[in-house]
Structure formats: C-alpha cells, structure tokens
Amino acid sequence: MKLGLDSKTAVVTGASRGTGLATVQTLIDEGVRVVGAARTITPDLEKSGAIAVAADLSTSGGVSTLMDTALAELGGIDLLVNNVGAGDAVEPVGFLDTGDAEWAAIFDLNLLSAVRVTRAALPSLIERRGSVVNVSSINSRLPAAGPVAYSAAKAALAALGKSLAEEFGPRGVRVNTVSPGVVRTAIWDDPDGFGGKVAALAGADHAAFLEGIPAAFGITTGRITEPREVAALIAFLLSEVAGNITGADHVIDGGTVKTL
Ligand SMILES: NC(=O)c1ccc[n+]([C@@H]2O[C@H](COP(=O)([O-])OP(=O)(O)OC[C@H]3O[C@@H](n4cnc5c(N)ncnc54)[C@H](OP(=O)(O)O)[C@@H]3O)[C@@H](O)[C@H]2O)c1
C-alpha cells in the first residue's frame, strides 16, 4: 500500500523520543518534510532529518515559537500530529493529592497544547485540505486506570478531536484520535519516570514490573505496543488512503480495552 505522503509537510509535537520520534522517522521515510518540537533536541531527533524546534509546548509562547518556525520553514502545513502529552506533572497519586497546579499543568500539556497548535495550523490545513491526528490514551475509556487529571485531559482531547472533525470536515480537514494502551517509551522505561515510580510504590523491582505489565493490564496479545506501531497507525490516518476516516478514536492496545 502506498500512503502517497511524499512531498507533504508535517508538524509533530513531543518529537524528541518515544512515539513522537517514531512518528517523525516514519513520516520522513514516507518523504514528508517534518518540523518536530520538544523541549530537548535529542541526538535521535537531530539525526532524523526533521527540522527540530526547542519549545515548551505547555505555554502559548512555546507554541508560537514552534508554529512561527514551522510556517516559515515549511511554507504551509498538510499534516499535524498533536502527540505531546503525559509530562512531568503526571504522578501516580490520587485525586486528593492532585492540586490545582497539577491539574493546570496536565491540562496545559495534554489538551491546551493541541488547542493552541491546531488553532495556529488550521488556516494552512484548510487551504491544503490537510489532516490531523491527536494522540490520546485508552485512559480516556478506562479513567480509573490512571492519574485522574491525565485521564480527564485525554478524554477532553478525544472530545476536541470529534468537535474539530465536525466543524472542519466540510472544509476538507480530517481529524482523528489515536488512543494507545501501554507503549514502550520513557514513560514506563525511565526509572525516574511514571513507570519507575509505580514500581517503587508497589515495592517491585522496575525490570520485573515492566515484564509483568501485559499480565497486570490484561493485554490480550501478551505484549506492549512498540512506538513504531503507533507511528504506522498515525501515518495511515494522516494519509489519503484513510481519506474517508474522520472523527474517530482508534485504539491500539493489544486488546487491553475489553468493551466495544
Ligand atoms: N507510553 C504510553 O504507554 C502511552 C500510552 C497512552 C498514551 N500515550 C501518549 O502518547 C504520547 C507520547 O508519549 P510517549 O510515551 O512517547 O512519552 P515520552 O517518551 O515521555 O515522550 C514525550 C515527548 O514529549 C516531549 N515533552 C514533554 N513535555 C513537553 C513540554 N512541556 N513541551 C514540549 N515537549 C514536551 C518530550 O520531550 P522533552 O521532555 O524533551 O520536552 C518527548 O519528546 C503522549 O501524549 C502520551 O500521553 C503514551
């Protein structure tokens, strides 16, 4: 199957590692010119061939830096991947230990970054009949499975995708959501990250905790998802091969969600 993305332009947020980096690499392999943003420009992002922008996307100033650079470098935007999310404020704590500052930080990064980036990209997306993918999470369907503000922000992001698909579909812009289950990224692998903290709270060895995730989360395939698998789904949805798919939330979780 040919995706036909050659010579398109794209913006990918949260591009320095994990699913964002895999998406950058997949799109570049498909011939797309990509601007990728994160706070850190990692060697992998530099090597990818993307134009890398250092920006804190939880702020409107950071989003302006990204979008000014993207529009100047690319001349217009065909494809947008609002991937940035989770972030430093997501901790394995309950509702009573999540204060206003944490709610605001989590919503800024997981919802408002997508609002701001999409608002800036839309004139170009409309002109070019472009396509958007927002990266949510199965936490929007299983909110009890994760930190409360993160699950709520991801559910709001899925709702935003549906609203945008309805409002801008008649003007040629498709908007889809991709909701992964557990993906093999720093969120889980980093001993100081969310997964490391969950393991420590459970008094478990980090490596043993990671190995036990498929059983603990009820992943039907018996394994977690690789970032390149999420990237492949994103690239498909961005492409004209998926030209009549819009306003839908696509789960990629190895069968974790058991309901229809
Ligand atoms: N991994 C999973 O199991 C999983 C499951 C469901 C959904 N997701 C979602 O998938 C998306 C990608 O996550 P991932 O697993 O690839 O996470 P990750 O490995 O932690 O990568 C997150 C990316 O976002 C960037 N980032 C974080 N805070 C930022 C900020 N304030 N401004 C700009 N960039 C920032 C990071 O770079 P810097 O830190 O250098 O800025 C990095 O490039 C997120 O939306 C996440 O919620 C992940």
Side-chain angles (χ1 to χ4, degrees), residues 13-21 37-42 45 53-59 82-88 90 109-110 113 134-139 150 154 157 178-188 224-225 227 230 252:
T13 67
S16 65
R17 59 172 188 261
T19 296
L21 178 65
R39 290 168 302 180
T40 322
I41 309 300
T42 54
L45 178 57
V53 178
D56 181 348
L57 299 174
S58 67
T59 68
N82 287 308
N83 163 76
V84 78
D88 308 335
V90 175
L109 190 66
N110 287 275
S113 68
N134 295 326
V135 180
S136 178
S137 165
I138 58 166
N139 279 49
Y150 175 70
K154 288 302 197 183
L157 182 65
V178 164
S179 290
V182 178
V183 184
R184 191 188 307 282
T185 71
I187 287 180
W188 298 101
I224 66 176
T225 304
V230 184
I252 172 165

Short mmCIF file of all heavy atoms in Angstrom, two decimals, residues 13-21 37-42 45 53-59 82-88 90 109-110 113 134-139 150 154 157 178-188 224-225 227 230 252, ligand 1:
data_model
loop_
_atom_site.label_atom_id
_atom_site.label_comp_id
_atom_site.label_asym_id
_atom_site.label_seq_id
_atom_site.Cartn_x
_atom_site.Cartn_y
_atom_site.Cartn_z
N THR A 13 4.45 17.15 17.46
CA THR A 13 4.83 17.64 18.79
C THR A 13 5.29 16.47 19.68
O THR A 13 4.89 15.33 19.47
CB THR A 13 3.67 18.39 19.48
OG1 THR A 13 2.62 17.46 19.76
CG2 THR A 13 3.13 19.50 18.59
N GLY A 14 6.15 16.81 20.64
CA GLY A 14 6.70 15.76 21.51
C GLY A 14 7.59 14.82 20.72
O GLY A 14 7.48 13.60 20.81
N ALA A 15 8.49 15.42 19.92
CA ALA A 15 9.17 14.67 18.85
C ALA A 15 10.55 14.13 19.24
O ALA A 15 11.19 13.47 18.44
CB ALA A 15 9.33 15.58 17.62
N SER A 16 10.99 14.38 20.48
CA SER A 16 12.39 14.07 20.78
C SER A 16 12.63 12.61 21.12
O SER A 16 13.76 12.14 21.10
CB SER A 16 12.88 14.95 21.93
OG SER A 16 12.18 14.65 23.12
N ARG A 17 11.59 11.87 21.46
CA ARG A 17 11.75 10.45 21.82
C ARG A 17 10.38 9.79 21.72
O ARG A 17 9.38 10.44 21.39
CB ARG A 17 12.32 10.31 23.24
CG ARG A 17 11.46 10.94 24.31
CD ARG A 17 11.94 10.63 25.73
NE ARG A 17 10.94 11.11 26.67
CZ ARG A 17 11.02 12.26 27.34
NH1 ARG A 17 12.08 13.03 27.20
NH2 ARG A 17 10.04 12.62 28.15
N GLY A 18 10.35 8.48 22.00
CA GLY A 18 9.09 7.76 22.11
C GLY A 18 8.26 7.78 20.83
O GLY A 18 8.79 7.72 19.72
N THR A 19 6.95 7.87 21.01
CA THR A 19 6.03 7.80 19.88
C THR A 19 6.21 8.99 18.93
O THR A 19 6.10 8.84 17.71
CB THR A 19 4.58 7.75 20.40
OG1 THR A 19 4.42 6.54 21.13
CG2 THR A 19 3.57 7.80 19.27
N GLY A 20 6.51 10.16 19.47
CA GLY A 20 6.70 11.33 18.61
C GLY A 20 7.89 11.15 17.69
O GLY A 20 7.82 11.42 16.48
N LEU A 21 9.01 10.67 18.25
CA LEU A 21 10.20 10.43 17.44
C LEU A 21 9.92 9.36 16.38
O LEU A 21 10.30 9.51 15.21
CB LEU A 21 11.38 10.00 18.33
CG LEU A 21 12.67 9.67 17.60
CD1 LEU A 21 13.26 10.89 16.90
CD2 LEU A 21 13.69 9.07 18.56
N ALA A 37 8.96 19.15 17.45
CA ALA A 37 9.24 20.01 18.60
C ALA A 37 9.21 19.25 19.91
O ALA A 37 8.42 18.32 20.10
CB ALA A 37 8.22 21.14 18.65
N ALA A 38 10.09 19.67 20.80
CA ALA A 38 10.12 19.22 22.20
C ALA A 38 10.99 20.22 22.95
O ALA A 38 11.60 21.09 22.32
CB ALA A 38 10.69 17.81 22.31
N ARG A 39 11.07 20.07 24.27
CA ARG A 39 11.96 20.99 24.99
C ARG A 39 13.42 20.66 24.71
O ARG A 39 14.25 21.55 24.65
CB ARG A 39 11.68 20.90 26.50
CG ARG A 39 10.34 21.49 26.90
CD ARG A 39 9.99 21.13 28.32
NE ARG A 39 9.95 19.68 28.50
CZ ARG A 39 9.67 19.05 29.62
NH1 ARG A 39 9.41 19.74 30.72
NH2 ARG A 39 9.65 17.73 29.69
N THR A 40 13.71 19.37 24.53
CA THR A 40 15.09 18.93 24.30
C THR A 40 15.25 18.46 22.86
O THR A 40 14.43 17.67 22.39
CB THR A 40 15.40 17.69 25.19
OG1 THR A 40 14.78 17.87 26.45
CG2 THR A 40 16.88 17.46 25.35
N ILE A 41 16.30 18.91 22.20
CA ILE A 41 16.59 18.37 20.86
C ILE A 41 17.57 17.21 21.07
O ILE A 41 18.76 17.42 21.29
CB ILE A 41 17.23 19.45 19.94
CG1 ILE A 41 16.41 20.74 19.94
CG2 ILE A 41 17.41 18.89 18.53
CD1 ILE A 41 15.00 20.61 19.46
N THR A 42 17.07 16.01 21.01
CA THR A 42 17.91 14.83 21.26
C THR A 42 18.73 14.51 20.00
O THR A 42 18.35 14.89 18.89
CB THR A 42 17.02 13.61 21.58
OG1 THR A 42 16.07 13.46 20.50
CG2 THR A 42 16.29 13.77 22.88
N LEU A 45 16.53 12.95 17.36
CA LEU A 45 15.70 13.89 16.59
C LEU A 45 16.57 14.63 15.58
O LEU A 45 16.16 14.81 14.42
CB LEU A 45 14.99 14.88 17.54
CG LEU A 45 14.13 15.95 16.86
CD1 LEU A 45 13.05 15.32 15.96
CD2 LEU A 45 13.47 16.86 17.90
N VAL A 53 12.68 21.98 16.65
CA VAL A 53 12.41 23.23 17.35
C VAL A 53 12.35 22.94 18.84
O VAL A 53 11.61 22.05 19.28
CB VAL A 53 11.05 23.84 16.90
CG1 VAL A 53 10.75 25.12 17.66
CG2 VAL A 53 11.05 24.08 15.40
N ALA A 54 13.14 23.71 19.62
CA ALA A 54 13.11 23.56 21.08
C ALA A 54 12.05 24.51 21.63
O ALA A 54 12.15 25.73 21.46
CB ALA A 54 14.47 23.90 21.67
N ALA A 55 11.02 23.94 22.24
CA ALA A 55 9.93 24.78 22.75
C ALA A 55 9.18 24.05 23.86
O ALA A 55 8.99 22.84 23.78
CB ALA A 55 8.95 25.12 21.62
N ASP A 56 8.78 24.81 24.88
CA ASP A 56 7.92 24.26 25.92
C ASP A 56 6.48 24.41 25.45
O ASP A 56 5.92 25.51 25.47
CB ASP A 56 8.14 24.99 27.25
CG ASP A 56 7.28 24.41 28.36
OD1 ASP A 56 6.35 23.61 28.07
OD2 ASP A 56 7.52 24.75 29.53
N LEU A 57 5.88 23.31 25.04
CA LEU A 57 4.56 23.37 24.40
C LEU A 57 3.41 23.46 25.40
O LEU A 57 2.25 23.50 25.01
CB LEU A 57 4.38 22.17 23.47
CG LEU A 57 5.41 22.12 22.33
CD1 LEU A 57 5.27 20.84 21.53
CD2 LEU A 57 5.27 23.34 21.41
N SER A 58 3.75 23.52 26.69
CA SER A 58 2.70 23.75 27.69
C SER A 58 2.39 25.24 27.81
O SER A 58 1.49 25.62 28.54
CB SER A 58 3.11 23.18 29.05
OG SER A 58 4.21 23.91 29.57
N THR A 59 3.13 26.06 27.07
CA THR A 59 2.90 27.52 27.12
C THR A 59 2.49 28.04 25.74
O THR A 59 2.90 27.48 24.72
CB THR A 59 4.19 28.25 27.55
OG1 THR A 59 5.17 28.11 26.49
CG2 THR A 59 4.77 27.67 28.83
N ASN A 82 -0.59 16.04 16.99
CA ASN A 82 -0.55 16.54 18.36
C ASN A 82 -0.27 15.35 19.27
O ASN A 82 -1.18 14.70 19.79
CB ASN A 82 -1.88 17.20 18.72
CG ASN A 82 -2.06 18.53 18.05
OD1 ASN A 82 -1.18 19.40 18.14
ND2 ASN A 82 -3.18 18.71 17.36
N ASN A 83 1.03 15.06 19.40
CA ASN A 83 1.45 13.87 20.15
C ASN A 83 1.87 14.20 21.57
O ASN A 83 1.79 13.35 22.46
CB ASN A 83 2.61 13.20 19.40
CG ASN A 83 3.37 12.23 20.28
OD1 ASN A 83 2.91 11.12 20.55
ND2 ASN A 83 4.54 12.64 20.77
N VAL A 84 2.34 15.45 21.80
CA VAL A 84 2.92 15.74 23.12
C VAL A 84 1.90 15.46 24.21
O VAL A 84 0.70 15.70 24.04
CB VAL A 84 3.43 17.20 23.19
CG1 VAL A 84 2.32 18.21 23.40
CG2 VAL A 84 4.47 17.33 24.29
N GLY A 85 2.39 14.89 25.33
CA GLY A 85 1.45 14.59 26.40
C GLY A 85 2.13 13.93 27.57
O GLY A 85 3.36 13.84 27.61
N ALA A 86 1.31 13.47 28.50
CA ALA A 86 1.76 12.99 29.81
C ALA A 86 2.54 14.14 30.46
O ALA A 86 1.94 15.17 30.75
CB ALA A 86 2.54 11.71 29.70
N GLY A 87 3.87 14.04 30.57
CA GLY A 87 4.64 15.17 31.10
C GLY A 87 4.99 15.01 32.56
O GLY A 87 4.56 14.08 33.25
N ASP A 88 5.79 15.98 33.02
CA ASP A 88 6.40 15.89 34.35
C ASP A 88 5.38 15.92 35.49
O ASP A 88 5.67 15.44 36.59
CB ASP A 88 7.39 17.05 34.55
CG ASP A 88 8.40 17.16 33.40
OD1 ASP A 88 8.65 16.12 32.75
OD2 ASP A 88 8.90 18.27 33.16
N VAL A 90 2.53 14.39 35.71
CA VAL A 90 1.73 13.17 35.89
C VAL A 90 2.42 12.26 36.91
O VAL A 90 3.51 11.76 36.67
CB VAL A 90 1.52 12.43 34.56
CG1 VAL A 90 0.79 11.12 34.78
CG2 VAL A 90 0.75 13.31 33.58
N LEU A 109 -0.49 20.79 29.01
CA LEU A 109 0.32 19.99 28.08
C LEU A 109 -0.54 19.02 27.27
O LEU A 109 -0.34 18.86 26.06
CB LEU A 109 1.39 19.20 28.85
CG LEU A 109 2.43 18.53 27.95
CD1 LEU A 109 3.27 19.59 27.23
CD2 LEU A 109 3.34 17.60 28.73
N ASN A 110 -1.52 18.37 27.92
CA ASN A 110 -2.25 17.28 27.25
C ASN A 110 -3.45 17.75 26.44
O ASN A 110 -3.91 17.02 25.57
CB ASN A 110 -2.70 16.25 28.30
CG ASN A 110 -1.54 15.43 28.82
OD1 ASN A 110 -1.16 14.44 28.22
ND2 ASN A 110 -0.94 15.87 29.93
N SER A 113 -2.10 22.38 24.62
CA SER A 113 -1.07 22.40 23.57
C SER A 113 -1.71 22.07 22.23
O SER A 113 -1.46 22.74 21.22
CB SER A 113 0.07 21.44 23.88
OG SER A 113 -0.39 20.11 23.80
N ASN A 134 -4.59 13.43 16.78
CA ASN A 134 -4.31 13.74 18.18
C ASN A 134 -4.03 12.45 18.93
O ASN A 134 -4.79 11.47 18.79
CB ASN A 134 -5.51 14.44 18.82
CG ASN A 134 -5.79 15.80 18.19
OD1 ASN A 134 -4.86 16.50 17.78
ND2 ASN A 134 -7.05 16.16 18.08
N VAL A 135 -2.97 12.43 19.73
CA VAL A 135 -2.64 11.21 20.48
C VAL A 135 -3.23 11.31 21.88
O VAL A 135 -2.77 12.10 22.72
CB VAL A 135 -1.11 10.97 20.52
CG1 VAL A 135 -0.82 9.69 21.31
CG2 VAL A 135 -0.56 10.87 19.10
N SER A 136 -4.27 10.53 22.11
CA SER A 136 -4.93 10.47 23.42
C SER A 136 -4.41 9.24 24.15
O SER A 136 -3.19 8.97 24.13
CB SER A 136 -6.45 10.43 23.22
OG SER A 136 -7.12 10.34 24.45
N SER A 137 -5.27 8.47 24.77
CA SER A 137 -4.86 7.29 25.54
C SER A 137 -6.09 6.46 25.82
O SER A 137 -7.21 7.00 25.90
CB SER A 137 -4.26 7.75 26.88
OG SER A 137 -4.17 6.66 27.78
N ILE A 138 -5.89 5.15 26.06
CA ILE A 138 -7.04 4.35 26.49
C ILE A 138 -7.52 4.78 27.88
O ILE A 138 -8.60 4.40 28.30
CB ILE A 138 -6.75 2.82 26.47
CG1 ILE A 138 -5.56 2.47 27.37
CG2 ILE A 138 -6.61 2.31 25.06
CD1 ILE A 138 -5.46 0.97 27.64
N ASN A 139 -6.73 5.61 28.57
CA ASN A 139 -7.18 6.13 29.86
C ASN A 139 -8.47 6.93 29.72
O ASN A 139 -9.22 7.08 30.69
CB ASN A 139 -6.11 7.03 30.49
CG ASN A 139 -5.06 6.22 31.18
OD1 ASN A 139 -4.54 5.28 30.59
ND2 ASN A 139 -4.73 6.55 32.41
N TYR A 150 -4.85 13.32 34.24
CA TYR A 150 -4.38 12.84 32.94
C TYR A 150 -5.52 12.19 32.17
O TYR A 150 -5.74 12.48 30.98
CB TYR A 150 -3.23 11.86 33.16
CG TYR A 150 -2.70 11.18 31.91
CD1 TYR A 150 -1.99 11.91 30.95
CD2 TYR A 150 -2.91 9.82 31.69
CE1 TYR A 150 -1.49 11.28 29.81
CE2 TYR A 150 -2.41 9.19 30.56
CZ TYR A 150 -1.71 9.92 29.62
OH TYR A 150 -1.22 9.30 28.49
N LYS A 154 -7.13 13.56 28.65
CA LYS A 154 -7.13 12.75 27.43
C LYS A 154 -8.56 12.55 26.91
O LYS A 154 -8.79 12.49 25.70
CB LYS A 154 -6.45 11.41 27.69
CG LYS A 154 -4.93 11.52 27.86
CD LYS A 154 -4.25 12.13 26.64
CE LYS A 154 -2.76 11.88 26.61
NZ LYS A 154 -2.09 12.55 25.47
N LEU A 157 -9.37 15.64 25.15
CA LEU A 157 -8.67 15.69 23.86
C LEU A 157 -9.44 14.87 22.80
O LEU A 157 -9.57 15.31 21.64
CB LEU A 157 -7.25 15.14 24.01
CG LEU A 157 -6.37 15.17 22.76
CD1 LEU A 157 -6.08 16.61 22.33
CD2 LEU A 157 -5.04 14.43 23.02
N VAL A 178 -5.86 8.89 18.07
CA VAL A 178 -5.24 7.58 18.29
C VAL A 178 -5.09 7.40 19.79
O VAL A 178 -4.51 8.27 20.47
CB VAL A 178 -3.89 7.49 17.56
CG1 VAL A 178 -3.07 6.30 18.09
CG2 VAL A 178 -4.09 7.34 16.06
N SER A 179 -5.62 6.31 20.31
CA SER A 179 -5.57 6.06 21.75
C SER A 179 -4.77 4.79 22.04
O SER A 179 -5.29 3.68 21.94
CB SER A 179 -6.99 5.92 22.32
OG SER A 179 -7.62 7.18 22.31
N PRO A 180 -3.49 4.96 22.41
CA PRO A 180 -2.68 3.78 22.72
C PRO A 180 -2.95 3.27 24.13
O PRO A 180 -3.33 4.03 25.03
CB PRO A 180 -1.23 4.31 22.63
CG PRO A 180 -1.32 5.68 22.06
CD PRO A 180 -2.69 6.20 22.39
N GLY A 181 -2.70 1.96 24.29
CA GLY A 181 -2.52 1.40 25.64
C GLY A 181 -1.06 1.58 26.00
O GLY A 181 -0.43 2.56 25.59
N VAL A 182 -0.50 0.65 26.74
CA VAL A 182 0.90 0.80 27.17
C VAL A 182 1.82 0.70 25.95
O VAL A 182 1.75 -0.25 25.17
CB VAL A 182 1.29 -0.28 28.20
CG1 VAL A 182 2.77 -0.12 28.58
CG2 VAL A 182 0.40 -0.17 29.43
N VAL A 183 2.67 1.72 25.80
CA VAL A 183 3.65 1.78 24.70
C VAL A 183 5.05 1.80 25.32
O VAL A 183 5.26 2.45 26.37
CB VAL A 183 3.45 3.04 23.83
CG1 VAL A 183 4.40 3.03 22.64
CG2 VAL A 183 2.00 3.15 23.37
N ARG A 184 5.99 1.11 24.68
CA ARG A 184 7.35 1.01 25.23
C ARG A 184 8.11 2.33 25.04
O ARG A 184 8.79 2.53 24.04
CB ARG A 184 8.12 -0.12 24.52
CG ARG A 184 9.45 -0.48 25.19
CD ARG A 184 10.25 -1.45 24.34
NE ARG A 184 9.48 -2.63 23.96
CZ ARG A 184 9.24 -3.67 24.77
NH1 ARG A 184 9.72 -3.69 25.97
NH2 ARG A 184 8.52 -4.69 24.34
N THR A 185 7.93 3.26 25.97
CA THR A 185 8.63 4.56 25.91
C THR A 185 9.16 4.89 27.31
O THR A 185 8.94 4.15 28.28
CB THR A 185 7.69 5.69 25.46
OG1 THR A 185 6.76 5.96 26.51
CG2 THR A 185 6.95 5.36 24.18
N ALA A 186 9.79 6.06 27.39
CA ALA A 186 10.38 6.51 28.67
C ALA A 186 9.35 6.60 29.79
O ALA A 186 9.71 6.49 30.97
CB ALA A 186 11.05 7.86 28.46
N ILE A 187 8.08 6.80 29.44
CA ILE A 187 7.04 6.87 30.48
C ILE A 187 7.13 5.64 31.39
O ILE A 187 6.97 5.73 32.60
CB ILE A 187 5.64 6.97 29.83
CG1 ILE A 187 5.45 8.36 29.24
CG2 ILE A 187 4.54 6.64 30.83
CD1 ILE A 187 4.11 8.59 28.58
N TRP A 188 7.40 4.50 30.78
CA TRP A 188 7.49 3.24 31.54
C TRP A 188 8.93 2.86 31.83
O TRP A 188 9.26 2.39 32.92
CB TRP A 188 6.78 2.11 30.78
CG TRP A 188 5.33 2.41 30.61
CD1 TRP A 188 4.71 2.89 29.50
CD2 TRP A 188 4.30 2.33 31.62
NE1 TRP A 188 3.38 3.10 29.73
CE2 TRP A 188 3.10 2.76 31.02
CE3 TRP A 188 4.28 1.93 32.96
CZ2 TRP A 188 1.89 2.80 31.73
CZ3 TRP A 188 3.08 1.96 33.67
CH2 TRP A 188 1.91 2.39 33.05
N ILE A 224 3.40 -5.38 25.10
CA ILE A 224 3.05 -3.97 24.98
C ILE A 224 3.32 -3.51 23.54
O ILE A 224 3.95 -4.21 22.75
CB ILE A 224 3.78 -3.10 26.03
CG1 ILE A 224 5.28 -3.07 25.79
CG2 ILE A 224 3.47 -3.58 27.42
CD1 ILE A 224 6.00 -2.13 26.75
N THR A 225 2.81 -2.33 23.23
CA THR A 225 2.91 -1.79 21.86
C THR A 225 4.25 -1.08 21.67
O THR A 225 4.75 -0.43 22.60
CB THR A 225 1.74 -0.81 21.62
OG1 THR A 225 0.52 -1.49 21.89
CG2 THR A 225 1.73 -0.29 20.20
N PRO A 227 6.55 1.88 19.82
CA PRO A 227 6.27 3.22 19.27
C PRO A 227 6.09 3.23 17.76
O PRO A 227 5.23 3.94 17.24
CB PRO A 227 7.53 4.02 19.67
CG PRO A 227 8.06 3.33 20.88
CD PRO A 227 7.73 1.88 20.71
N VAL A 230 2.51 2.52 16.74
CA VAL A 230 1.61 3.67 16.87
C VAL A 230 1.87 4.64 15.72
O VAL A 230 0.94 5.19 15.11
CB VAL A 230 1.80 4.38 18.24
CG1 VAL A 230 0.78 5.51 18.39
CG2 VAL A 230 1.67 3.39 19.39
N ILE A 252 -5.13 1.41 20.01
CA ILE A 252 -4.05 0.47 19.68
C ILE A 252 -3.45 0.02 21.01
O ILE A 252 -2.63 0.73 21.60
CB ILE A 252 -3.02 1.09 18.70
CG1 ILE A 252 -1.81 0.17 18.53
CG2 ILE A 252 -2.59 2.49 19.08
CD1 ILE A 252 -0.92 0.52 17.33
N1 LIG B 1 3.74 5.44 26.55
C1 LIG B 1 2.50 5.06 26.82
O1 LIG B 1 2.28 4.00 27.41
C2 LIG B 1 1.34 5.91 26.38
C3 LIG B 1 0.05 5.36 26.46
C4 LIG B 1 -1.05 6.11 26.04
C5 LIG B 1 -0.85 7.38 25.54
N2 LIG B 1 0.41 7.89 25.48
C6 LIG B 1 0.55 9.24 24.93
O2 LIG B 1 1.43 9.18 23.84
C7 LIG B 1 2.05 10.46 23.68
C8 LIG B 1 3.55 10.27 23.55
O3 LIG B 1 4.03 9.76 24.76
P1 LIG B 1 5.39 8.92 24.88
O4 LIG B 1 5.03 7.64 25.50
O5 LIG B 1 6.14 8.93 23.61
O6 LIG B 1 6.10 9.81 26.00
P2 LIG B 1 7.61 10.25 26.22
O7 LIG B 1 8.56 9.19 25.80
O8 LIG B 1 7.65 10.78 27.61
O9 LIG B 1 7.77 11.47 25.18
C9 LIG B 1 7.12 12.68 25.41
C10 LIG B 1 7.62 13.70 24.40
O10 LIG B 1 7.01 14.96 24.70
C11 LIG B 1 8.02 15.94 24.98
N3 LIG B 1 7.56 16.85 26.00
C12 LIG B 1 7.22 16.59 27.29
N4 LIG B 1 6.87 17.71 27.92
C13 LIG B 1 6.98 18.71 27.00
C14 LIG B 1 6.76 20.12 27.03
N5 LIG B 1 6.37 20.75 28.15
N6 LIG B 1 6.96 20.84 25.90
C15 LIG B 1 7.38 20.23 24.76
N7 LIG B 1 7.60 18.91 24.66
C16 LIG B 1 7.41 18.17 25.78
C17 LIG B 1 9.23 15.12 25.44
O11 LIG B 1 10.45 15.83 25.23
P3 LIG B 1 11.06 16.83 26.32
O12 LIG B 1 10.89 16.18 27.65
O13 LIG B 1 12.49 16.99 25.89
O14 LIG B 1 10.31 18.10 26.19
C18 LIG B 1 9.12 13.92 24.49
O15 LIG B 1 9.60 14.27 23.21
C19 LIG B 1 1.61 11.30 24.88
O16 LIG B 1 0.53 12.12 24.50
C20 LIG B 1 1.14 10.26 25.88
O17 LIG B 1 0.19 10.78 26.78
C21 LIG B 1 1.51 7.19 25.88
#
